[in-house]
Amino acid sequence: MRLIQKVGDWFDLRLQMGASIRETAEHPVPRETASWFYVFGSAALTVFIFQVVTGILLALIYVPSAGEAWNSLQILNHTVSLGWFIRALHGWGSNFMIAIVLIHMMQVFLFGAYKFPRELTWIVGVFLLLATLGMAFTGQVLRFDQDAYWGLGIGASIASRVPVIGPWAVNLMLGGPIIAGATLSRFFALHVFVIPGTLIAFVGLHLLLVLKLGVNEWPMPGRIVRRATYLQGYHDLTHKQGVPFVPIAVWKDIFFSGFILISIAGCAVYFGPFGPSGQPDPTIIQTAPHPDFFFLWLYALLSFLPPSSETPILLIGPAIGLIALLVLPFIAGEGEKSWKRRPIAVLSVLLIAVVLGTFTRLAQHAPWSPVMDAWSSQPIPAHYLTGRTALERRGALVFQEKQCRNCHSLDDKGGQRGPALDSVAIHLTPDQLVRQVIQGGGNMPAYGKNLSPAETTALVAFLETLRPAGQTPARDASRSEAALGASAEHAPAPGP
Amino acid sequence: MIQTEISRRTMLVRLGLLLNGVVAAFLAVPILRYLLSPAIRERKPGYESWLSLGGLDQFPAGQTRLATYRNPVINPWDGQTADIACWVRNLDGQNFQVFAVNCAHLGCPVRWFPQSSLFMCPCHGGAYYQDGSRASGPPERGLFQYQYKVEHQDLFIKAGEMPTPGHAANKTRGENTCA
């Protein structure tokens, strides 16, 4: 112990940092902030450092070349000893980092931490969130597989819609005319140099602000933030009733960070690395690309936006969201901090969480995408065929052959792009069925040019049988009126 | 005395900063040129050129087939990414339509279903008729088309750049085939 003390003293005589480090570590914080609610920021920092370390480990093998990246990932997964584990750690670390950053953001928002004098801390935090999401997207590109390739195509398609500079933005983003080697190289530079450098700078600034201004006190209902009185009140909280950060508060941070690291390692061992999926070969079109978990909500949103308003919403929406986050501390810089007295804040968080969660859940099923192989892999359920006429069975064949099944399900099997057809006959009359098949509409292609009259007749005959037992098919009331009228006209004539 | 010395030093500092500013401005020009080179590099005639998809016998009349080509502008390390696919529709042996595989919505690869004569997109459910016009789903327009020509029984298309909604709107990449 004496040797350690001596070595420490030797360094401190030269560095002269011991006293300021001790002072920083033991700075007083409000007593209530030594809480399990205050551990997410430090956990995000821990995971960030963890990502830097595992990222460097991956860079020892990974080749940022369009021709070789996918192969180098295969070698990491299968050849290099425990390469799969390092990839899994980095991939799961990424998911945990986004999750923790979002939880941290939600917590500081609900605790009113963005209010005076911590406006700048919040703003830097918003840029940290953007940088984190940027790391997630560029990281997904570096896993250079089919999802990455077509994901870049989606990014380029969105960029191309920017007025005037769109086409140039695409070329700048891709580094050339197509998604190729130059594209991967620039996303590598972004993921490994540019964004991490920005992150380190912003994290430093964020931490400096936390130290200078002190951690946000536990919000008490009725304790109103006023610019004139806040600083004095906070000074009293920390210096009269405060506790030293080390060790009173920090042990919870340390335990939570350790718990998160164990969780990442556990997920990495249990679930393994993410992909890569198929080779990034654009001539392989038998693929259904989908983004990583934290971008699934966007994937869902892009299929629900009406075509006419999609471009404006895509281009203006993010800007509005960003501006809203940035001006929040200026329009709500004073006032009540406690979530118990801020119902709009609580409802906003709930609304955003429910919306993002719903979109994410939907994107995991992608009901808007045709099931490309349903027509050849899902047979018509037998009970829809027993006791049917030859014409109706021929119609069932047309139904499969013409890939109706890719968008319409029977017995819950098949696509969900269009409505399930198990009871279509009680909703649409035969005439309406013919019209719908031939002319399409309501987001259904028209099959008029592609079905012969005989095929249409057979198909509609089959569709007319699709109704629950005991329910009568839809009928056109005017038809029976017409039939009645016709029979009335004929009534005087003597029947046979 | 001290006053004048400080002002002299201050002026030297300002001169030094000015010098650095001038150097930075000079360096910014080549750096920006380098950074922007993908967007401004020889935009005339651009990235596109005529390239062959192979003999006409690969594309039977009345059918739609997948064809691939090697992109004209490539780097040696592009690997498979420089191989691009497109859909070739031979209408009647004389007239062709060559579609980009990229969906006009967000660029995912559309697949051709000859049985229902539809192109379907796996991403957000866009669908197109056999002539490339929009059938349903989120796309605002029909499939992107390449210009084509037939020479010496070979089918040539003018290609070289990934078609995107914004780009295609500015250039006449085939007629917009919304029926």
Side-chain angles (χ1 to χ4, degrees):
Chain A
M1 280 310 281
R2 289 195 60 186
L3 181 69
I4 295 174
Q5 183 69 44
K6 279 182 114 176
V7 172
D9 288 345
W10 187 91
F11 274 105
D12 199 38
L13 184 70
R14 284 145 188 90
L15 289 169
Q16 299 180 18
M17 283 165 63
S20 61
I21 289 176
R22 198 167 299 117
E23 192 189 342
T24 306
E26 294 172 355
H27 76 277
V29 294
R31 183 174 293 275
E32 297 83 4
T33 64
S35 152
W36 288 108
F37 278 99
Y38 280 66
V39 296
F40 301 111
S42 61
L45 176 62
T46 305
V47 179
F48 175 56
I49 295 168
F50 178 79
Q51 289 298 90
V52 171
V53 173
T54 51
I56 292 172
L57 292 176
L58 289 178
L60 298 180
I61 304 291
Y62 181 76
V63 182
S65 146
E68 300 297 339
W70 192 82
N71 293 327
S72 71
L73 292 174
Q74 294 296 341
I75 286 180
L76 266 168
N77 269 4
H78 302 296
T79 309
V80 177
S81 179
L82 288 174
W84 67 271
F85 184 58
I86 306 297
R87 281 202 66 230
L89 286 177
H90 198 65
W92 281 101
S94 149
N95 277 350
F96 271 81
M97 176 141 174
I98 299 180
I100 292 170
V101 163
L102 289 177
I103 293 171
H104 177 55
M105 184 178 182
M106 197 165 71
Q107 183 262 324
V108 296
F109 174 71
L110 289 176
F111 279 50
Y114 57 85
K115 290 178 190 288
F116 177 86
R118 298 183 183 81
E119 300 95 334
L120 189 58
T121 323
W122 169 266
I123 289 169
V124 173
V126 170
F127 286 108
L128 282 172
L129 173 73
L130 289 184
T132 306
L133 292 177
M135 286 302 278
F137 183 77
T138 53
Q140 181 185 319
V141 169
L142 294 199
R143 193 187 63 224
F144 203 55
D145 55 11
Q146 285 176 344
D147 288 346
Y149 181 91
W150 297 107
L152 281 168
I154 290 176
S157 296
I158 293 174
S160 81
R161 299 182 185 192
V162 179
V164 186
I165 59 161
W168 285 272
V170 171
N171 287 147
L172 269 186
M173 177 189 158
L174 301 184
I178 58 168
I179 301 163
T183 318
L184 182 59
S185 294
R186 57 185 50 214
F187 276 85
F188 182 77
L190 284 173
H191 188 77
V192 175
F193 301 111
V194 180
I195 307 180
T198 314
L199 265 173
I200 290 171
F202 278 143
V203 165
L205 191 57
H206 202 65
L207 278 178
L208 183 72
L209 285 164
V210 171
L211 285 174
K212 291 276 180 199
L213 302 170
V215 72
N216 184 43
E217 79 280 5
W218 188 278
M220 302 292 275
R223 192 198 282 156
I224 308 291
V225 177
R226 296 263 174 265
R227 284 194 174 83
T229 56
Y230 179 80
L231 292 177
Q232 185 58 45
Y234 186 77
H235 188 268
D236 292 348
L237 270 181
T238 48
H239 285 83
K240 290 188 182 157
Q241 322 158 24
V243 292
F245 176 66
V246 176
I248 304 292
V250 78
W251 71 269
K252 284 176 178 156
D253 291 284
I254 295 171
F255 265 85
F256 187 71
S257 288
F259 169 72
I260 290 296
L261 291 184
I262 289 173
S263 305
I264 293 173
C267 286
V269 170
Y270 188 77
F271 296 106
F274 292 95
S277 68
Q279 297 176 44
D281 181 343
T283 64
I284 302 173
I285 58 165
Q286 256 67 22
T287 174
H290 63 276
D292 282 358
F293 181 79
F294 281 102
F295 294 105
L296 280 175
W297 64 272
L298 185 61
Y299 174 53
L301 185 70
L302 287 170
S303 60
F304 284 134
L305 288 174
S308 54
S309 58
E310 187 176 78
T311 301
I313 289 177
L314 272 182
L315 299 181
I316 300 169
I320 291 177
L322 182 61
I323 290 170
L325 286 175
L326 292 181
V327 302
L328 171 73
F330 298 105
I331 56 175
E334 289 185 311
E336 190 70 64
K337 261 187 179 176
S338 172
W339 67 91
K340 292 175 183 163
R341 299 262 175 102
R342 290 165 57 218
I344 295 175
V346 175
L347 285 175
S348 306
V349 169
L350 282 177
L351 180 70
I352 293 169
V354 166
V355 167
L356 292 183
T358 308
F359 275 144
T360 303
R361 185 89 186 112
L362 275 168
Q364 286 170 329
H365 299 289
W368 51 82
S369 289
V371 177
M372 297 297 213
D373 59 354
W375 66 289
S376 53
S377 66
Q378 302 289 350
I380 301 248
H383 63 91
Y384 285 125
L385 297 172
T386 47
R388 301 290 179 239
T389 66
L391 181 69
E392 288 159 357
R393 290 186 180 184
R394 173 75 190 115
L397 212 56
V398 174
F399 186 77
Q400 292 291 94
E401 273 177 357
K402 295 297 178 184
Q403 281 122 2
C404 306
R405 199 69 184 280
N406 289 16
C407 293
H408 294 287
S409 68
L410 289 177
D411 263 8
D412 284 336
K413 295 197 177 65
Q416 294 172 290
R417 171 93 217 177
L421 296 182
D422 297 280
S423 55
V424 68
I426 64 172
H427 301 299
L428 294 178
T429 66
D431 284 357
Q432 287 171 323
L433 282 170
V434 171
R435 195 211 63 82
Q436 183 66 32
V437 166
I438 289 183
Q439 297 183 10
N443 215 12
M444 173 172 159
Y447 285 80
K449 289 181 194 161
N450 190 32
L451 286 172
S452 69
E455 285 172 325
T456 308
T457 308
L459 178 62
V460 171
F462 170 66
L463 293 175
E464 276 181 77
T465 68
L466 297 178
R467 60 177 197 266
Q471 293 213 37
T472 51
R475 62 187 184 86
D476 187 341
S478 68
R479 284 273 156 204
S480 56
E481 287 295 315
L484 244 142
S487 57
E489 266 173 38
H490 289 287
Chain B
M1 187 65 194
I2 294 171
Q3 278 290 320
T4 54
E5 196 161 78
I6 287 175
S7 76
R8 196 170 70 94
R9 291 284 156 81
T10 310
M11 194 192 68
L12 282 175
V13 167
R14 284 180 186 162
L15 265 178
L17 287 176
L18 183 70
L19 174 70
N20 279 275
V22 171
V23 173
F26 269 111
L27 286 178
V29 174
I31 289 174
L32 277 179
R33 182 72 171 76
Y34 171 81
L35 278 178
L36 297 177
S37 63
I40 55 180
R41 186 184 67 172
E42 289 90 46
R43 292 290 298 189
K44 296 169 193 170
Y47 287 115
E48 301 198 327
S49 54
W50 287 100
L51 43 93
S52 170
L53 291 181
L56 286 185
D57 49 345
Q58 297 175 51
F59 309 108
Q63 292 195 24
T64 299
R65 294 277 176 95
L66 190 71
T68 62
Y69 62 87
R70 189 86 178 154
N71 204 60
V73 180
I74 52 168
N75 287 313
W77 59 89
D78 282 348
Q80 306 148 319
T81 57
D83 293 324
I84 308 291
C86 58
W87 290 108
V88 178
R89 177 188 182 212
N90 184 340
L91 279 74
D92 50 12
Q94 308 285 319
N95 296 296
F96 292 82
Q97 280 184 302
V98 185
F99 305 111
V101 291
N102 306 90
C103 181
H105 178 224
L106 288 171
C108 285
V110 296
R111 268 182 251 177
W112 167 244
F113 289 85
Q115 297 83 1
S116 51
S117 298
L118 289 173
F119 294 97
M120 293 190 205
C121 178
C123 282
H124 304 100
Y128 307 84
Y129 293 115
Q130 59 183 351
D131 64 355
S133 58
R134 176 188 179 278
S136 75
E140 282 192 89
R141 48 159 292 159
L143 287 173
F144 305 115
Q145 289 191 41
Y146 298 108
Q147 290 177 45
Y148 77 93
K149 63 182 180 187
V150 178
E151 274 179 11
H152 311 296
Q153 293 300 299
D154 267 12
L155 182 63
F156 288 81
I157 61 168
K158 195 171 187 191
E161 188 158 9
M162 188 178 87
T164 48
H167 193 190
N170 289 355
K171 293 175 71 176
T172 51
R173 191 192 295 276
E175 72 276 40
N176 192 337
T177 50
C178 280

